[in-house]
Amino acid sequence: MKNVISTILLLSFSFLISQETYVPMRVKDKFGLVNLKGKTVLNPQYDALMYMGKNYFSYTHNHFTKDTIHWVGGRIEVKEVNRPETGVIQHKKVIISGQKYPVYTVLPDQIILGGDSRSYIENAMLFSPNGKALFSRDIDTFHGFNPQFDTQGNMTHNLLMIAYEDKTYEIAVYDVKKGEISQRILENLNLLKVRSQRDDQLLEFDYSDKNNYYLNGFIWFENGKYQLSDERPNSFTNEQEYGMYGMPGRTAVAAPEMVPNVAMEGMKSPVPAEKMPAERVPAPISRPAPPAEFSLSPEKQVLNNKEPIEKNHLNFEFIDEKKSQKEPLIFTAENGKKGLFFTDLRKENPEFDHLQYIKNQFGITIYDFRHYYLAGKKDSNAKMKYGILKPDGTWTVPMVYDSIQVNMPETYWNTDDEKNKKIELREPYTYDNKTKRILEYSSSGFLDSNKGFMVAYQNGKAGLIGMNNEIYLPFEYENIFKNGFSFVRDHNYEMQDSFIILKKNKHYGIVEFSSNREIQKIIQPVFPELPTRYFPNYNGHQGLDMFVLSTADEITFCYADGNGKVFLKK
């Protein structure tokens, strides 16, 4: 009976949550809100509607007005200019309206930040959770210090240092539970520098007041309130303040990129190298002889001043334009075929139609700057096959692939033609096909799970392989590439945008890998448009991912869930 009651309560709670969770729905060119079952709760009326987290949505109303531009020579041209109105909706209620800020973010301490820029803070305002402006004028930068928490780990207070556009400063206390500024510790300061911060308890800073008196101050939290003094309190010893060696902290000037010092939600710790599967670590490779020293002359090239090599017989390519190299050199014979020339004067047969250096940026577990070689050769049917050679001339990837993209291609907007924008692919490090920059393969998976993979093709289908010919994804896709639109994050702490995109049958899916290159999440191609970011566990629903689909014209075209259900009515 107890289990039955628990099940009923759980289902009831899930039902209530589903009724209170809304998703932006696009109807033609307007956005409204619907619940997870598709029932309309806010009629489509906005030109843009973006989920911010915790059931907050930012909206945009476009307002096009006539504007005159006077050109030299007396010619006047009249154009339309968009002066959008923006605001914030909580659930289905508008709590901020009539603003100019294009970007809104819900910060971890429940403050709503509205600002001009996606990449840094300027011309901004901080709002309480119910939409009330916390300051009377725009701020330029801010930083949070000495946050206080209750016994459940919830933030209760945060110390804010504010810089205004007129280069004046203020120190204020934000009461998180009440959603208001509860203390204004110092106002109208002409200078503010943080001197040291220890254990989120004692803050030491320098400042000058409105009379330009240069002062030193200390702030700490005690008896439910932040305390201010011009002397270090007795409760903080020199060892607590400066550490066991008595070294003072370095002075730091408030900078435009300062943001609250609260760890972003969803960040994962890197996996230590020693925990990686043994099979991922390649066997040691025997090193060739000591480096060869080459000197160039108009007539010939000389190896270690021993054996002259006439230039009209062999043409050498140097790695990174260096005149000496530990690795084998690439040479081209008179018949146009390419081969490897080792430091012991041993030459591989010039049998390849294509041979190109691959610069290995990082090893799997350690730094490793060995160079590999992308080799290609025509088969009996005059079709090119590609593989990868090790520095010792043996194969690490057999020559069985139709093509290998060492640098995983990524998406980008081609805006050369403003009227016909396109989403296209480019290779990192080699954006310009006219430049012959060295290919760069980075096999480290700790900093970016998209690294350490190459896209290969067999029989016209794409798959994902590693430098040791590991098959990470089968050869069944039209294309595989990296999401290159991470710059549209908008400081949203719930958003995920680092993933690989799969294309099949004109639809798109995603795959994410862990740091040891195991598949962490995969959604087979079900989206009709390109997924560029998503919200894991949307609005607290475990396992519910909500994706933002983009086109060449609109970064937020519509929303879709992980099953491919699109919230769109044409």
Side-chain angles (χ1 to χ4, degrees):
M1 183 66 182
K2 182 178 180 180
N3 291 335
V4 173
I5 295 176
S6 300
T7 302
I8 294 174
L9 290 175
L10 181 61
L11 291 174
S12 301
F13 178 74
S14 300
F15 176 79
L16 291 174
I17 290 290
S18 65
Q19 294 300 305
E20 295 176 353
T21 297
Y22 304 139
V23 183
M25 162 70 85
R26 183 187 183 109
V27 180
K28 295 183 179 179
D29 290 330
K30 297 295 182 181
F31 285 88
L33 289 175
V34 297
N35 61 20
L36 293 178
K37 295 182 178 180
K39 182 179 179 181
T40 301
V41 296
L42 185 63
N43 289 327
Q45 56 190 286
Y46 301 103
D47 295 296
L49 203 56
M50 185 67 189
Y51 177 69
M52 297 166 51
K54 301 178 178 63
N55 243 341
Y56 285 95
F57 304 86
S58 61
Y59 74 80
T60 300
H61 267 313
N62 292 328
H63 292 289
F64 292 94
T65 58
K66 300 294 183 181
D67 188 39
T68 58
I69 301 177
H70 297 263
W71 296 90
V72 177
R75 183 166 60 90
I76 299 177
E77 183 175 325
V78 179
K79 290 186 176 182
E80 277 192 337
V81 176
N82 183 22
R83 294 186 173 88
E85 171 197 328
T86 66
V88 173
I89 298 170
Q90 184 184 31
H91 294 279
K92 56 183 178 180
K93 178 183 178 182
V94 177
I95 61 171
I96 299 175
S97 62
Q99 302 295 326
K100 62 183 184 301
Y101 311 111
V103 179
Y104 292 89
T105 303
V106 181
L107 302 179
D109 54 3
Q110 306 302 313
I111 294 177
I112 300 174
L113 167 65
D116 275 0
S117 173
R118 288 186 168 93
S119 56
Y120 56 91
I121 300 168
E122 65 177 3
N123 303 323
M125 177 55 68
L126 301 180
F127 299 89
S128 68
N130 60 6
K132 180 181 178 182
L134 299 179
F135 299 94
S136 59
R137 53 194 174 117
D138 279 359
I139 65 175
D140 198 39
T141 65
F142 77 100
H143 195 78
F145 287 97
N146 292 39
Q148 303 300 312
F149 300 89
D150 59 21
T151 55
Q152 285 75 40
N154 300 313
M155 188 184 299
T156 59
H157 298 83
N158 200 11
L159 188 66
L160 300 179
M161 287 191 170
I162 304 297
Y164 291 103
E165 295 175 322
D166 61 0
K167 305 305 179 185
T168 61
Y169 300 85
E170 178 179 347
I171 302 178
V173 176
Y174 178 61
D175 188 319
V176 178
K177 290 188 175 181
K178 293 182 179 180
E180 62 183 28
I181 299 297
S182 59
Q183 287 179 258
R184 296 189 181 274
I185 296 178
L186 288 172
E187 300 180 71
N188 300 319
L189 304 180
N190 292 328
L191 179 67
L192 181 60
K193 295 180 180 180
V194 177
R195 180 178 292 273
S196 66
Q197 166 86 20
R198 294 290 173 181
D199 300 324
D200 285 338
Q201 294 299 320
L202 181 65
L203 177 69
E204 182 180 1
F205 59 96
D206 299 328
Y207 69 99
S208 63
D209 60 15
K210 58 183 179 182
N211 297 317
N212 286 324
Y213 288 113
Y214 193 79
L215 303 166
N216 182 235
F218 297 87
I219 294 180
W220 69 99
F221 193 81
E222 188 176 4
N223 299 325
K225 190 175 182 181
Y226 285 93
Q227 309 293 329
L228 171 67
S229 175
D230 58 356
E231 295 182 358
R232 181 182 291 106
N234 293 330
S235 56
F236 293 90
T237 65
N238 286 343
E239 181 176 341
Q240 287 175 314
E241 172 62 12
Y242 294 133
M244 63 182 296
Y245 297 108
M247 296 297 293
R250 291 185 298 177
T251 299
V253 181
E257 58 269 19
M258 287 167 58
V259 296
N261 58 346
V262 179
M264 290 192 295
E265 299 174 5
M267 292 186 66
K268 299 178 181 178
S269 301
V271 177
E274 59 269 22
K275 293 185 179 181
M276 295 189 69
E279 60 270 15
R280 299 294 186 217
V281 182
I285 296 177
S286 59
R287 291 292 183 178
E293 297 295 336
F294 282 85
S295 61
L296 301 180
S297 67
E299 302 296 333
K300 58 188 177 181
Q301 297 179 351
V302 181
L303 175 62
N304 286 337
N305 295 319
K306 291 181 180 180
E307 181 179 340
I309 303 172
E310 298 299 329
K311 287 191 67 174
N312 58 358
H313 292 296
L314 297 176
N315 182 21
F316 288 96
E317 297 177 20
F318 292 91
I319 302 175
D320 290 344
E321 300 180 353
K322 294 179 181 178
K323 299 301 184 288
S324 65
Q325 189 57 247
K326 296 180 180 180
E327 312 293 356
L329 297 174
I330 295 175
F331 71 90
T332 305
E334 287 183 319
N335 60 1
K337 297 289 185 178
K338 295 178 180 290
L340 295 180
F341 189 96
F342 293 85
T343 56
D344 57 1
L345 300 184
R346 178 169 57 90
K347 297 191 292 289
E348 288 256 333
N349 292 328
E351 58 178 321
F352 300 111
D353 297 293
H354 179 91
L355 198 56
Q356 187 175 4
Y357 290 113
I358 301 172
K359 184 178 181 181
N360 188 26
Q361 292 290 81
F362 301 99
I364 295 179
T365 58
I366 59 174
Y367 284 98
D368 180 3
F369 294 96
R370 291 174 298 176
H371 290 72
Y372 292 84
Y373 304 84
L374 177 63
K377 184 179 178 180
K378 293 181 181 179
D379 61 14
S380 57
N381 297 318
K383 293 184 178 180
M384 288 288 290
K385 295 293 182 181
Y386 292 89
I388 294 178
L389 287 169
K390 296 179 183 179
D392 62 358
T394 61
W395 295 100
T396 182
V397 175
M399 196 164 53
V400 297
Y401 298 105
D402 300 333
S403 69
I404 298 176
Q405 293 175 311
V406 176
N407 299 324
M408 180 178 291
E410 67 179 12
T411 51
Y412 80 105
W413 269 302
N414 187 341
T415 58
D416 293 340
D417 185 352
E418 292 186 1
K419 293 183 180 180
N420 297 299
K421 298 178 182 178
K422 298 178 181 179
I423 296 178
E424 296 185 347
L425 297 179
R426 63 184 177 191
E427 282 194 7
Y429 311 111
T430 54
Y431 296 156
D432 188 354
N433 292 327
K434 296 180 181 179
T435 62
K436 296 182 179 179
R437 293 188 59 184
I438 192 169
L439 294 176
E440 299 189 25
Y441 172 80
S442 183
S443 60
S444 171
F446 301 115
L447 299 179
D448 184 349
S449 60
N450 292 324
K451 294 180 179 178
F453 301 108
M454 296 178 289
V455 180
Y457 285 83
Q458 277 189 329
N459 301 319
K461 298 295 184 180
L464 213 56
I465 67 173
M467 186 59 84
N468 294 319
N469 203 35
E470 308 99 323
I471 306 299
Y472 292 102
L473 287 178
F475 295 87
E476 60 181 53
Y477 301 98
E478 294 174 22
N479 209 344
I480 300 174
F481 46 90
K482 178 182 176 181
N483 176 34
F485 292 153
S486 59
F487 60 88
V488 297
R489 175 179 289 274
D490 292 353
H491 296 291
N492 193 304
Y493 299 118
E494 295 187 17
M495 189 180 293
Q496 177 63 265
D497 54 22
S498 179
F499 50 78
I500 295 171
I501 299 175
L502 311 173
K503 184 179 181 182
K504 185 177 181 180
N505 298 327
K506 297 183 179 180
H507 282 69
Y508 301 92
I510 73 151
V511 62
E512 290 180 296
F513 289 86
S514 62
S515 58
N516 60 356
R517 293 179 225 157
E518 299 292 338
I519 291 180
Q520 187 169 313
K521 178 193 293 288
I522 185 167
I523 296 177
Q524 293 296 341
V526 292
F527 303 122
E529 302 291 347
L530 196 69
T532 55
R533 54 209 194 277
Y534 75 94
F535 304 95
N537 302 321
Y538 183 80
N539 203 49
H541 286 262
Q542 291 297 318
L544 174 62
D545 299 329
M546 198 63 65
F547 288 81
V548 177
L549 308 186
S550 304
T551 65
D553 294 320
E554 296 183 67
I555 185 61
T556 303
F557 179 73
C558 68
Y559 283 69
D561 66 19
N563 296 318
K565 177 183 178 181
V566 180
F567 292 87
L568 169 69
K569 291 183 180 179
K570 296 181 180 180

